Structure formats: structure tokens, C-alpha cells
Amino acid sequence: MKKTPLAAGAALSLLLLNASGEQYYQTKTPYQPRQDGASYEAPPPGYRAVSTQLLARHGSRGLSGFKTDLAMYRLWQLAEQDGALTPLGKELGPDILSMMKVNFLLGYGVAGIGKPGYGNETAQGVAEHTQLARRMHGRLPELFRDAADKRREIVVVSSGKDRAVDSAYFFTRALVARQPGLEPLVTHPASLAPRGESDHASRPAGTDRFLLYFHKLGEKQDKTAGPADPLHATYQASQAYQSWVDSDELRAREDAIRAQPRLAEAARATLERLFTPEFIAALDQGRRRAANTGGFSYTSADGKFTNTLAGDGGTEIASATDAALALYELYAAAADMPDEVPADFTRYVPAAQAGVFASIEDALAFYEKGPGITENGDLTWRMARTLLDDFFGEADAVARGDMRHAAKLRFSHAEIVIPMAAILGLPGMSAQLPRAAMYSYENSDWRGEAVAPMAANIQWDIYRNAKGRTLVRLLYNEKETDFKPACAGAKIAAGSHYYDYLKLKSCYKDK
């Protein structure tokens, strides 16, 4: 399996690479810019940056809930009771507890994080968005000087979920630290809402579910009255997507992915380093199983914050494959918490097996969140249309000379970035597979680590000349990237990454 290319000069945390110098964290991959900004193509003579747009996933975070860590710890306790732990296996339990404690207290004492605990951004996540903001400012200094001089707005919006809200905070804080005059220009727009909705209490300014949480629009909160509502198509697309996520077809596809012999082999090879053969056999035969049951409580070092949680029993480990994939989840999560978790989880998942688990993770994500099955059409990304229209709407304003917004900054999740890449038709990120095929690294270029690592981002830099001609350049994870191949005719020159905006818009909108 190929190693992931890293940007020149990019700093690596010690836990980013395993002992073999490879990383297999997929959508949990810590963020690194994919291109050194010094190598960007210069804008054509006579053009200056007049606006920029960003869609970014939240930064590195802890575990999303008190689930896998607790289930894995309960399994470890069973093995300890059975005397079924190897010397390395004996070290796993305390390391899981150390990760658990970190997640219980994650974010405590950090300015900008309102509710400590599971799912919050780590120090690495804060740094990812801080550095992303600094690089944006460094790339477009004339734009931000112009914004300050002419009092142009910097519009900030998030999904409303804690880690996305916090990412917005850390990003804008870093931007303002670079140029304090920008602070009064930061604005938070009203949320899109169904027609006729009179109570917007669940839609505070600066948050937007239809733009940035469209994969989970709910009947109670988001239902539209009918086709006359401009948001109706997005709501309907979200319902269709959620039906797919809950479908028997997807469940069968996922079962087939998990039933691959190579996964069973990798699972056994991983667990044999931790547990006795007899315990692994008992696990596979149903005589041993564990779930996230029971409770724990942890208190901060200063004694001022205590978090008490109980597992809901909904995460179960009932086979060797379940156990290995649970351990892989902790291994990947640890890469996002290098400053908080003292344990090195790369010891528990050898590189060869991590590569197999990574490919399984990619296969599952490809069908649930990614481009998916050809015969399903745009089922997994149709709901991103309102977001795409929002990008075009901002660019339209600039093209017609409306310069009120210097930047629009959006903060969200992998479930938003992935369909946005697909609806844009970006090479390597949007190609589907026929129903008769099964995703593999041999027949698809789609990789979670490239499409949606932590802090994954899509940026449009917009330029104009004195005559009002507007150009757009796309950066994906800060790498100059082509729009869909059908729009190559909108490039200002062969090989350029600058597109004539009106031609680009026509390419997307006509279809």
C-alpha cells in the first residue's frame, strides 16, 4: 500500500506514522496541506484576489461517543478474568482507560469549547484550523487588507454542532490575530429555514442545517411544506439519503465487505498478539462477547469538573472481526489526540493489518458517504445542491460587482465535504462503481484520507481584473485542483488552474 504524500515542510506529530513509517487512518487522518503554497500558480497579470470561500471539516477530535472504547475495555476485562492476555495484551487495558479519561475531560479549560467531553476538538484539531487560517491570510494578504479598508464582511457559518462551531471560533480567532482590524467585520448570517417557520429558536445566527448538516435533516425540525419551498428539494434529497443509510441493500453490502477472508485473517493476526487462541475462539463461537455497558466518572486535575457517563449497550463486540475493527478505531482516534493520550496505540495494530482495516474502512465509507453505486445515480450527493448553489451565489455577487463579502467561511463535517466533492465531480473523488462490482483499491481511486481527513477543506479563490472579468481557482486540502473534466474548456489556458467564472458556471449550471 502506498504511503501518503505529505506537504513539504509539514510538521508531523509523533503518532501520525506507525513503526513502518506508514499511516492508515483514512477519514481520521490528521490534516496536512497537500501542496506548499509557494508553488501555487501565480494569478494572471492584471488580476487581484477579491473574495474567497471555504468549506472545512472540523479539526481532529476525540472519540464521538462513549461506545467503542468502553466495549473494547469490557472485552479486555473478560480476557483478564480468563487469564487470556499476552504480555502486550496486559498493557492494552490501562491504555484504553487512559484514552477514556482523556475523552471524558476533553476540552476542559480550553477557551472556545463550551461543553467538555467526547467529540470535542483536540489540541491538534485547534492547531489544524489555526494554521489553516494563517495560511489563508498569508495566501491572500491583499484581499484581507482590502476587506479592512473597505469594511467588507467576513461571513462565518457552521452546522451548529459543537466541534464545527468550535472550529469556526478557532479559525476566525487566528484570522483576527493576524489582522485585528478584521474582528468587527466578522458576521453570522441568518439560517436558511423552511417557508412558514415562525420559531427560529433552533436556528441561531451563524448556523445552518440545510447548508452544512443536510445529511440529517429531520421531519420534526426541517420538514418543508411542498415543492414551492426553495428548500424542499434539499429536504427530500436528505430523506432519500437517510433511507439509503438504513436500507437492506446497504446493510447487505456492508456485511459482504466485513465477510472478506482477508479481514478475518488480519483480525486474527492482530488479536493473537493480545489474547490467547482459546479466548479468540470463544469470541468467534459466541461464548465471549462484550458491549459498552456500565459507567465511569472522571474529574479534572483541579477538581472543578467531573464528567460521569454510562454506556448504552448499543455497541457490541461479538466476533474477532468486531474486536479488531474496534481496536482499529481506537488506533485511528489516537492519531488525532497525540497531545492528550499518553499511550501509543500503533503498538497494537501492525502496519500490515492496519492497511487491511483501512481498506475496509474506505469501502464502508465509499458506499455510505461516498460516490457509491452507479445505478443509484446522485443519491449520496444530491442533497449538496443547496451548498453548491451557495458557493455559486457568492461568486455571482462578486462577478456582478457586489463586494460586500470578502470571504464566506463554512465549518462542517466529513458527511458534508464528501458529497460536495462528489457533486463538483472532482477527479478521484466522484467516480462510482456498478452494483455488480465491489469497491477495492484496485478498481477505485477513492480514499478517505484524501477526500476527508480531519479539517478537510474546499476553497474557491476569486480574482478580477479592471474590466470586471472574474476568475476562480479551486484548492482541495490546499492543493490546486481541477474542477470536473467537462469544464476544462473554462480554463484560461491549458494546464492553468484558473477558470473563467462565467464559463465555469455555465458548465455546471447548464447540466
Side-chain angles (χ1 to χ4, degrees):
M1 190 173 296
K2 295 189 295 184
K3 298 180 183 180
T4 300
L6 297 171
L12 283 177
S13 70
L14 293 178
L15 290 184
L16 179 59
L17 301 181
N18 61 28
S20 300
E22 296 150 321
Q23 57 178 1
Y24 298 109
Y25 305 122
Q26 306 328 100
T27 59
K28 304 295 191 304
T29 299
Y31 183 74
Q32 299 290 344
R34 293 299 175 119
Q35 184 177 346
D36 186 338
S39 68
Y40 288 158
E41 178 187 354
Y47 285 84
R48 64 185 183 89
V50 293
S51 180
T52 192
Q53 300 192 62
L54 168 75
L55 169 67
R57 184 188 183 188
H58 58 76
S60 290
R61 60 164 171 80
L63 290 166
S64 60
F66 191 35
K67 298 177 289 189
T68 307
D69 51 350
L70 178 55
M72 195 67 200
Y73 184 68
R74 295 304 187 207
L75 183 71
W76 181 87
Q77 286 183 306
L78 288 176
E80 183 183 43
Q81 293 167 13
D82 291 352
L85 294 168
T86 68
L88 179 62
K90 291 177 181 178
E91 298 179 31
L92 176 61
D95 282 351
I96 294 175
L97 287 179
S98 72
M99 178 180 282
M100 197 181 295
K101 181 178 181 179
V102 162
N103 281 280
F104 266 66
L105 305 176
L106 193 57
Y108 174 69
V110 178
I113 293 181
K115 184 180 179 182
Y118 280 80
N120 275 305
E121 290 199 319
T122 63
Q124 182 168 270
V126 173
E128 285 165 345
H129 275 282
T130 298
Q131 293 162 7
L132 183 62
R134 289 173 179 171
R135 286 190 296 272
M136 174 185 278
H137 190 277
R139 184 176 78 245
L140 302 167
E142 61 180 345
L143 167 62
F144 290 105
R145 284 196 298 268
D146 185 70
D149 291 343
K150 298 178 181 176
R151 315 302 292 171
R152 300 176 62 201
E153 294 180 358
I154 297 171
V155 182
V156 179
V157 62
S158 78
S159 69
K161 299 301 177 181
D162 285 349
R163 50 186 173 266
V165 173
D166 296 343
S167 292
Y169 169 81
F170 295 124
F171 188 101
T172 53
R173 183 183 68 174
L175 204 58
V176 168
R178 275 296 179 97
Q179 191 175 332
L182 298 176
E183 186 166 13
L185 307 179
V186 175
T187 63
H188 299 90
S191 175
L192 296 175
R195 277 185 180 174
E197 180 179 272
S198 57
D199 180 7
H200 298 306
S202 64
R203 305 182 196 278
T207 69
D208 203 306
R209 290 170 57 82
F210 279 88
L211 280 183
L212 299 171
Y213 209 67
F214 49 62
H215 65 302
K216 286 191 176 181
L217 297 180
E219 181 174 352
K220 182 177 180 180
Q221 183 175 353
D222 307 301
K223 187 175 182 179
T224 52
D229 192 321
L231 298 175
H232 185 66
T234 301
Y235 177 77
Q236 292 293 97
S238 178
Q239 302 313 297
Y241 171 73
Q242 291 177 67
S243 293
W244 164 248
V245 171
D246 292 334
S247 70
D248 291 341
E249 181 181 1
L250 179 59
R251 190 171 299 109
R253 178 77 52 160
E254 292 173 338
D255 288 345
I257 291 168
R258 293 190 181 98
Q260 294 178 57
R262 65 192 183 94
L263 175 57
E265 293 168 5
R268 182 165 293 277
T270 299
L271 297 183
E272 284 175 347
R273 302 171 67 251
L274 307 172
F275 307 112
T276 63
E278 293 77 15
F279 185 81
I280 297 170
L283 182 59
D284 266 338
Q285 293 165 10
R287 292 183 285 112
R288 285 288 182 271
R289 60 177 56 211
N292 62 325
T293 56
F296 280 79
S297 183
Y298 289 102
T299 299
S300 61
D302 63 9
K304 296 180 179 180
F305 174 74
T306 297
N307 193 4
T308 301
L309 295 172
D312 62 8
T315 299
E316 188 175 51
I317 297 175
S319 68
T321 295
D322 288 347
L325 290 177
L327 183 59
Y328 170 74
E329 184 175 333
L330 302 186
Y331 155 94
D336 295 320
M337 298 183 276
D339 297 285
E340 293 87 3
V341 175
D344 178 2
F345 275 80
T346 66
R347 298 186 304 147
Y348 302 118
V349 185
Q353 284 72 51
V356 174
F357 302 145
S359 69
I360 296 298
E361 179 75 12
D362 273 344
L364 295 170
F366 177 84
Y367 288 109
E368 180 182 340
K369 304 181 183 75
I373 297 170
T374 305
E375 290 86 344
N376 284 349
D378 61 357
L379 175 64
T380 59
W381 72 78
R382 188 187 316 144
M383 56 193 169
R385 171 59 62 181
T386 298
L387 176 58
L388 181 62
D389 288 345
D390 191 58
F391 266 76
F392 276 110
E394 291 291 321
D396 280 345
V398 172
R400 65 175 179 263
D402 180 350
M403 299 294 174
R404 283 175 294 178
H405 296 170
K408 187 161 188 178
L409 312 174
R410 309 167 184 86
F411 299 88
S412 194
H413 310 268
E415 292 86 352
I416 305 303
V417 175
I418 291 172
M420 184 63 169
I423 202 170
L424 282 168
L426 302 185
M429 301 176 185
S430 57
Q432 298 177 296
L433 289 172
R435 181 168 279 114
M438 176 65 80
Y439 170 95
S440 72
Y441 283 177
E442 287 69 40
N443 64 12
S444 176
D445 293 329
W446 196 92
R447 302 287 186 275
E449 64 179 352
V451 181
M454 294 297 178
N457 57 90
I458 296 171
Q459 302 186 57
W460 288 15
D461 291 341
I462 304 175
Y463 294 77
R464 289 188 91 200
N465 66 6
K467 295 181 179 179
R469 187 188 185 193
T470 304
L471 307 180
V472 177
R473 173 181 63 182
L474 168 65
L475 301 178
Y476 197 107
N477 294 334
E478 297 177 87
K479 183 182 189 306
E480 292 179 306
T481 301
D482 287 340
F483 285 92
K484 63 182 179 181
C487 298
K491 290 188 176 188
I492 62 170
S496 177
H497 290 101
Y498 289 87
Y499 288 72
D500 179 276
Y501 174 66
L502 294 181
K503 292 181 180 178
L504 180 70
K505 178 184 175 182
S506 177
C507 174
Y508 276 93
K509 294 294 185 176
D510 285 352
K511 184 172 182 180

